[in-house]
């Protein structure tokens, strides 16, 4: 993927760029909003990572200008402040996701992947399938190898969230935000607890695990290994 | 602070007094002018009218019976004038006096004022009107103005005295008022300077008069009280931060030292963990500060508290079960309030988390929501009543809780969110255990 990173702090920028390049992406870097706008309107990027506080032109205005130019490249904001108001402001300016500094690189990478692979408004799926696991979104029924699995509504949502992102790493915070609408990090290991319960229902008793833990990053649902 | 000797002259009170004095003088001048017009002016006008009337009558006699008639009329009038205030002169074409008590024929006809030596030797101011006669010669009619002039003199001298007295009183009053205002302002200034200099206990003197200065002083004192409490709170927080952050920072340092000697993955992970914990603390502090600043109130919407409570209970119930606890709920549906859904979610999550973490293993937790508000009860060790206030403070961890993980910021955030929403929060003894009660706004 080609990723545009707009970040004025050299050390943070180097950290992000190095990580993304190691992950096999092509990275353009801009150090201020004007430069970022120039690169972004040049087009050809799959995702842009934009710091909110930038010299010359702040991140919000930059993304607003990019959107005004009719460019729909998904944007993820980085910010030191991630209050609800800040997030709303970012989304309203045309951002697609929001990540509070400091962040783990795995978190950024997972979110970038999620943004880039977001299906471009295809027809609504009614059945999700991963291996022999099947989720009927209309009848709200989950089966594995033809066997019915009973899930609580919240477990259903958690599994749906994971299955919709088959093969992608989903982080703890993505789950907290996407499944429970928690925009903070509880100290209690609620995510782990819910995943382990879901696992007990989905994977236990079957020869192959579908829900995998990626150490230091999060979880992924996939059929192969 | 030394007060310059003429400082009062720059005070508002003195200036206002001066302005008032000027206006009063202007008003008095108007009144004086009116009095002048009504007395001196009236006297003079009356004299002129009498002269005109006399002149008319005499000229009429002249028209009927010639100069002789005028002379006779003059004599009759002079005989009738017992006050000696009337003066007449009838002069022939040759300038000789034919009749009257005036000497000296005026050169020009018309009005003039002059002084006349009376037979007794005194002098009197006289207003005269001279008119030429048809067949040559002239007629002069005059009136004594002594009484008018005397009145005039008295008025001028009285006006002078009154004016001087007014000026003196006005200036003196302005000086006194200006000085008293300057003194009170200087006292306030000195007190505020002391506060600015660091003496936060200093307060302004509030008089019992209840005037605008007293009200202002009371208001400033209230502001200073608030400032002082904020400063005290800030100092407390700073002390807490210094105390509570030094420990994890020291640990981080130690772990980094260890990793420098033996850079194993484990040693580095341990250091990272410490750094993450520190970042969490900062995030929580920032969040509390944000909530306390009250700016979030702008984004308030209608929130379904019952739905949030149900969702939070759902999230934490499995974690409670893992500790053998039973997380029960008693949530009345449809309880709504005005607020920030994300903050209320976090508030409830913090409370649920506390209950799970500090509750007894294998104990009960009850989250109840009703029309009055919500309660969350655990049957753990609870918090002694004398420690309740401390539990809400930032880093206000009770000594008993220092061994368990947590930043000691959870309840501080809970209270900040509750107060932002106008809710009151109290800790109660659930015997055994702790009950946190959050009353909805307007519920006591």
């Amino acid at each position: 993927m080609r990723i545009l990173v707009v970040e004025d702090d050299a050390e943070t920028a180097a950290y992000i760029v190095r990580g993304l390049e190691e992950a096999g992406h092509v990275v353009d870097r801009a150090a201020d909003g004007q430069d970022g706008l120039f690169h972004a309107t040049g087009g050809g990027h799959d995702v842009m990572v934009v710091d909110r506080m930038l010299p010359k032109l702040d991140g919000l205005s930059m993304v607003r200008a990019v959107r005004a130019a009719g460019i729909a490249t998904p944007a993820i904001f980085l910010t030191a402040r991630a209050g609800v108001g800040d997030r709303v402001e970012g989304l309203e300016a045309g951002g697609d996701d929001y990540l509070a500094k400091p962040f783990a690189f795995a978190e950024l990478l997972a979110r970038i992947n999620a943004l880039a692979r977001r299906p471009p408004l295809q027809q609504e799926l009614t059945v999700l399938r991963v291996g022999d696991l099947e989720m009927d979104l209309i009848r709200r029924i989950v089966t594995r190898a033809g066997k019915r699995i009973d899930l609580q509504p919240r477990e259903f949502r958690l599994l749906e969230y994971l299955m919709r992102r088959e093969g992608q790493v989903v982080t703890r915070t993505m789950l907290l935000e996407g499944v429970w609408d928690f925009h903070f990090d509880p100290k209690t290991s609620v995510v782990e607890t819910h995943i382990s319960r879901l696992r007990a229902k989905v994977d236990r008793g079957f020869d192959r695990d579908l829900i995998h833990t990626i150490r230091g990053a999060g979880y992924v649902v996939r059929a192969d290994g | 602070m030394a007060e310059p000797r003429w400082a009062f002259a720059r005070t508002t009170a003195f200036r206002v007094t001066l302005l008032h004095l000027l206006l009063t003088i202007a008003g008095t001048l108007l009144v004086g002018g009116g009095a002048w017009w009504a007395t001196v002016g009236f006297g003079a006008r009356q004299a002129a009218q009498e002269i005109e009337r006399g002149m008319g009558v005499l000229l009429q006699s002249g028209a009927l019976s010639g100069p002789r008639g005028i002379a006779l009329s003059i004599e009759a009038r002079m005989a009738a004038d017992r006050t000696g205030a009337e003066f007449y002169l009838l002069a022939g074409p040759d300038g000789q006096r034919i009749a009257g008590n005036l000497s000296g024929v005026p050169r020009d006809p018309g009005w003039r004022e002059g002084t006349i030596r009376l037979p007794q030797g005194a002098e009197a101011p006289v207003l005269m009107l001279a008119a030429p006669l048809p067949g040559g010669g002239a007629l002069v009619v005059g009136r004594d103005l002594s009484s008018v002039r005397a009145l005039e003199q008295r008025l001028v001298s009285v006006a002078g005295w009154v004016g001087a007295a007014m000026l003196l009183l006005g200036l003196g009053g302005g000086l006194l008022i200006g000085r008293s205002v300057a003194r009170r302002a200087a006292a306030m200034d000195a007190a505020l300077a002391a506060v600015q200099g660091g003496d936060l206990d200093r307060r302004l003197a509030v008089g019992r008069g209840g005037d605008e200065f007293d009200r202002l002083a009371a208001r400033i004192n209230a502001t200073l009280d608030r400032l002082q409490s904020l400063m005290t709170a800030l100092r407390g927080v700073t002390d807490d931060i210094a105390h509570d952050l030094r420990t994890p920072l020291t640990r981080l340092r130690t772990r980094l030292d260890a990793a420098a000697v033996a850079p194993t993955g484990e040693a580095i992970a341990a250091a990272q963990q410490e750094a993450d914990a520190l970042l969490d603390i900062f995030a929580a502090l920032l969040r509390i500060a944000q909530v306390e600043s009250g700016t979030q109130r702008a984004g308030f919407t209608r929130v379904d508290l019952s739905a949030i409570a149900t969702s939070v209970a759902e999230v934490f119930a499995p974690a409670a079960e893992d500790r053998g606890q039973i997380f029960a709920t008693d949530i009345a549906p449809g309880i709504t309030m005005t607020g920030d859904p994300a903050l209320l979610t976090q508030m409830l999550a913090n409370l649920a988390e506390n209950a799970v973490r500090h509750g007894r293993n294998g104990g009960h937790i009850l989250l109840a929501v009703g029309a009055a508000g919500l309660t969350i009860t655990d049957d753990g060790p609870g918090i002694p009543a004398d420690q309740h206030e401390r539990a809400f403070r930032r880093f206000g961890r009770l000594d008993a809780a220092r061994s368990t993980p947590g930043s000691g910021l959870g309840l501080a955030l809970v209270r900040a969110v509750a107060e932002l929403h106008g809710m009151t929060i109290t800790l109660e003894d659930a015997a055994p255990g702790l009950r946190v009660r959050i009353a909805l706004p307007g519920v006591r």
Side-chain angles (χ1 to χ4, degrees):
Chain A
M1 274 198 288
R2 230 179 119 197
I3 298 167
L4 173 63
V5 174
V6 192
E7 163 70 64
D8 60 324
D9 179 58
E11 201 168 318
T12 311
Y15 170 67
I16 298 172
V17 170
R18 188 166 3 99
L20 289 174
E21 281 173 351
E22 274 169 17
H25 301 296
V26 179
V27 184
D28 291 328
R29 191 218 154 186
D32 62 62
Q34 268 178 21
D35 199 21
L37 181 59
F38 175 76
H39 277 281
T41 45
H45 296 107
D46 297 294
V47 174
M48 45 188 180
V49 179
V50 184
D51 188 27
R52 262 193 71 164
M53 305 257 273
L54 287 171
K56 289 185 185 169
L57 186 67
D58 70 275
L60 279 186
S61 312
M62 189 205 117
V63 170
R64 235 178 249 131
V66 170
R67 293 285 179 262
I71 291 164
T73 312
I76 175 165
F77 277 116
L78 297 181
T79 180
R81 292 178 60 143
V84 180
D86 300 298
R87 274 201 303 271
V88 169
E89 223 181 346
L91 296 179
E92 277 173 355
D96 298 86
D97 201 356
Y98 215 93
L99 189 55
K101 281 180 178 179
F103 52 86
F105 184 75
E107 180 77 37
L108 178 64
L109 190 62
R111 283 175 188 262
I112 286 175
N113 286 334
L115 273 185
R117 284 191 223 160
R118 197 149 63 177
L121 281 179
Q122 58 196 12
Q123 79 277 18
E124 238 355 84
L125 286 171
T126 54
V127 178
L128 302 173
R129 268 190 205 89
V130 177
D132 54 358
L133 180 65
E134 234 184 68
M135 173 178 270
D136 187 327
L137 292 170
I138 309 274
R139 292 160 61 214
R140 307 200 73 77
I141 290 173
V142 178
T143 53
R144 182 155 184 197
K147 245 174 75 185
R148 175 89 177 257
I149 298 174
D150 283 323
L151 293 181
Q152 304 280 330
R154 201 61 70 145
E155 290 168 340
F156 188 91
R157 229 170 113 180
L158 173 58
L159 184 61
E160 178 189 344
Y161 191 93
L162 289 165
M163 286 178 79
R164 279 186 187 275
R165 290 157 186 78
E166 182 194 349
Q168 292 175 37
V169 177
V170 174
T171 65
R172 250 184 110 234
T173 44
M174 284 165 83
L175 287 174
L176 283 167
E177 286 171 18
V179 179
W180 293 284
D181 209 18
F182 273 22
H183 294 275
F184 54 91
D185 197 353
K187 294 283 152 283
T188 312
S189 47
V190 285
V191 175
E192 293 74 1
T193 313
H194 282 271
I195 289 280
S196 85
R197 273 163 196 259
L198 185 63
R199 250 190 195 136
K201 289 184 176 178
V202 171
D203 282 339
R204 190 172 298 160
F206 295 95
D207 51 350
R208 226 169 42 185
D209 283 351
L210 295 178
I211 303 172
H212 305 269
T213 305
I214 310 297
R215 260 201 83 183
Y219 305 94
V220 63
V221 164
R222 61 168 178 252
D224 48 342
Chain B
M1 205 175 67
E3 178 192 342
R5 218 157 141 210
W6 287 92
F8 66 88
R10 285 202 309 271
T11 63
T12 320
F14 187 70
R15 283 180 208 174
V16 169
T17 313
L18 270 191
L19 181 66
H20 183 245
L21 184 63
L22 282 176
L23 286 174
T24 313
I25 288 175
T28 314
L29 281 179
L30 265 175
V31 172
W36 187 281
W37 187 81
T39 54
V40 178
F42 178 74
R45 277 192 308 282
Q46 210 173 26
Q49 274 170 12
E50 278 170 14
I51 290 171
E52 274 175 337
R53 223 175 14 244
M55 178 67 85
V57 170
L58 288 176
L59 286 176
Q60 219 165 14
S61 323
L64 287 174
S65 39
R68 182 78 200 129
I70 298 178
L72 279 174
S73 289
I74 289 176
E75 265 152 33
R77 280 170 163 270
M78 279 170 59
D81 172 30
R82 263 173 278 171
T83 55
E86 298 177 22
F87 298 94
Y88 299 95
L89 174 66
L90 177 63
D94 55 353
Q96 280 302 306
R97 178 169 72 179
I98 298 168
N101 50 0
L102 282 170
S103 60
V105 183
R107 280 176 295 276
D108 309 307
W111 293 100
R112 70 189 189 88
E113 251 189 272
T115 315
I116 282 175
R117 189 166 291 279
L118 295 176
Q120 300 92 325
E123 283 191 343
V126 174
L127 179 66
M128 289 174 286
L129 178 62
L133 289 174
L139 177 63
V140 179
V141 180
R143 277 288 183 284
D144 188 343
L145 284 181
S146 304
S147 61
V148 174
R149 291 288 165 258
L151 188 61
E152 187 179 46
Q153 251 172 26
R154 272 204 303 281
L155 258 180
V156 167
S157 95
V158 164
W161 282 112
V162 167
M166 227 163 66
L167 212 67
L168 230 101
L169 275 174
L171 279 175
L175 198 134
L176 281 177
I177 295 170
R179 265 199 146 143
S180 103
V181 169
R183 202 171 298 132
R184 293 179 75 173
M188 290 173 103
D189 189 60
L192 285 177
V195 173
Q196 191 188 8
D199 180 8
L200 283 179
D201 295 323
R202 186 76 176 266
R203 291 294 178 273
L204 308 186
V206 181
R208 266 168 298 170
D211 64 8
E212 65 269 41
F213 271 98
D214 294 333
R215 284 205 306 276
L216 186 63
R219 172 77 61 190
I220 292 176
N221 281 348
T223 310
L224 288 176
D225 287 345
R226 172 108 180 101
L227 181 70
Q228 190 177 27
S229 77
L230 284 176
M231 285 298 290
T232 311
L234 182 65
R235 203 168 293 153
V237 172
T238 318
D239 291 349
D240 289 342
I241 290 177
H243 182 264
D244 279 73
L245 289 189
R246 189 172 289 144
T247 317
L249 276 170
T250 312
R251 271 205 307 264
L252 174 63
R253 170 77 214 219
T254 317
R255 298 207 166 160
L256 283 175
D257 286 347
V261 176
T264 60
E266 252 171 75
I268 290 166
Q272 280 172 334
Q273 209 183 328
E274 283 298 336
D276 284 346
L278 274 165
L279 287 169
D280 282 347
I281 291 176
F282 277 114
L285 279 174
L286 191 63
R287 208 165 166 81
I288 292 171
Q290 257 179 323
V291 172
E292 283 181 345
S293 73
T295 48
Q296 254 116 343
R297 241 177 241 134
F300 273 15
T301 53
R302 205 71 205 155
V303 180
D304 187 341
L305 196 61
S306 308
I308 292 180
T310 308
S311 162
V312 166
E314 246 174 50
V315 174
F316 283 94
E321 263 173 60
D322 284 356
R323 296 195 56 192
Q325 294 163 331
I326 293 167
F327 197 118
T329 57
D330 177 13
I331 299 172
I335 305 291
T336 61
M337 61 178 289
T338 305
D340 182 321
L343 287 179
L344 289 170
T345 306
Q346 182 160 13
M347 179 182 89
L348 275 166
N350 279 12
L351 288 173
E353 197 160 45
N354 273 349
V356 171
R357 200 182 304 143
H358 299 299
R360 184 166 57 87
N361 276 353
H364 285 75
I365 294 162
L366 176 66
L367 172 60
V369 178
L374 61 98
T375 59
I376 184 160
T377 313
D378 67 53
D379 51 4
I383 299 177
D386 59 339
Q387 304 262 330
H388 283 178
E389 184 49 36
R390 184 179 158 76
F392 283 121
R393 279 182 28 204
R394 291 179 179 81
F395 300 113
R397 304 185 63 199
L398 311 174
D399 295 330
R402 289 212 180 260
S403 50
T404 56
S407 58
L409 292 168
L411 267 183
L413 180 63
V414 167
R415 176 153 79 172
V417 172
E419 283 176 355
L420 178 77
H421 287 84
M423 302 188 282
T424 45
I425 179 165
T426 43
L427 300 184
E428 294 169 8
D429 187 2
L434 177 69
R435 180 179 297 119
V436 183
R437 182 183 296 280
I438 295 184
L440 289 181
V443 178
R444 287 196 58 85

